[in-house]
């Protein structure tokens, strides 16, 4: 099979949905092992360089049923900004107007 990679795509000005495993170990609200975050940096850098609007989708823990603020990834924004050396926004929802508006406000790169 001939699978396309990020190098085969023109992502400039396009919204790229990047599914990431950011279910990182945390103690007292701080990340104790940022390995998963660090491993994504080359991909983030590539998408940034290619002027994509990168939307990272992930989860934290294993919530069941209704949304639970204890499983929000919002606390990671500072860590992601430091590790990826880029501005990070956060949307409270992954569907509907909240997500759509967050994507529309993004700048290329």
């Amino acid at each position: 099979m001939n699978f396309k990679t990020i190098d085969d795509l023109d992502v400039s000005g396009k919204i790229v949905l990047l599914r990431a495993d950011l279910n990182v170990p945390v103690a007292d609200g701080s990340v104790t092992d940022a390995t998963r975050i660090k491993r994504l940096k080359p991909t983030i850098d590539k998408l940034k360089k290619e002027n994509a609007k990168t939307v990272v989708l992930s989860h934290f823990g294993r919530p069941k049923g209704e949304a639970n603020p204890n499983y929000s990834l919002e606390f990671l924004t500072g860590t992601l900004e430091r590790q990826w050396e880029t501005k990070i926004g956060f949307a409270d929802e992954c569907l509907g107007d909240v997500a759509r508006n967050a994507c529309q406000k993004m700048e290329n790169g």
Side-chain angles (χ1 to χ4, degrees):
M1 284 192 182
N2 188 11
F3 289 101
K4 290 187 177 187
T5 69
I6 195 171
D7 295 323
D8 301 316
L9 304 173
D10 175 15
V11 297
S12 182
K14 296 178 182 168
I15 297 173
V16 175
L17 181 62
L18 177 62
R19 171 58 172 94
D21 185 358
L22 297 178
N23 195 12
V24 295
V26 174
D28 299 321
S30 296
V31 175
T32 59
D33 182 354
T35 302
R36 291 177 178 179
I37 294 168
K38 291 176 183 176
R39 287 185 177 163
L40 281 172
K41 188 173 184 336
T43 302
I44 295 297
D45 288 347
K46 171 75 172 170
L47 291 169
K48 190 174 170 181
K49 179 182 173 194
E50 298 294 327
N51 286 318
K53 296 178 179 185
T54 305
V55 176
V56 180
L57 178 69
S58 190
H59 72 91
F60 184 69
R62 298 242 179 241
K64 294 185 176 26
E66 294 296 315
N68 182 334
N70 293 328
Y71 293 110
S72 172
L73 285 170
E74 188 169 13
F75 78 95
L76 274 182
T77 57
T79 300
L80 297 176
E81 285 181 344
R82 285 188 300 280
Q83 293 291 329
W84 295 345
E85 300 170 327
T86 193
K87 176 87 171 96
I88 302 291
F90 184 82
D92 291 325
E93 299 288 335
C94 61
L95 299 170
D97 290 337
V98 172
R100 190 172 9 270
N101 290 339
C103 289
Q104 288 173 347
K105 289 178 185 176
M106 292 175 70
E107 296 178 12
N108 293 346

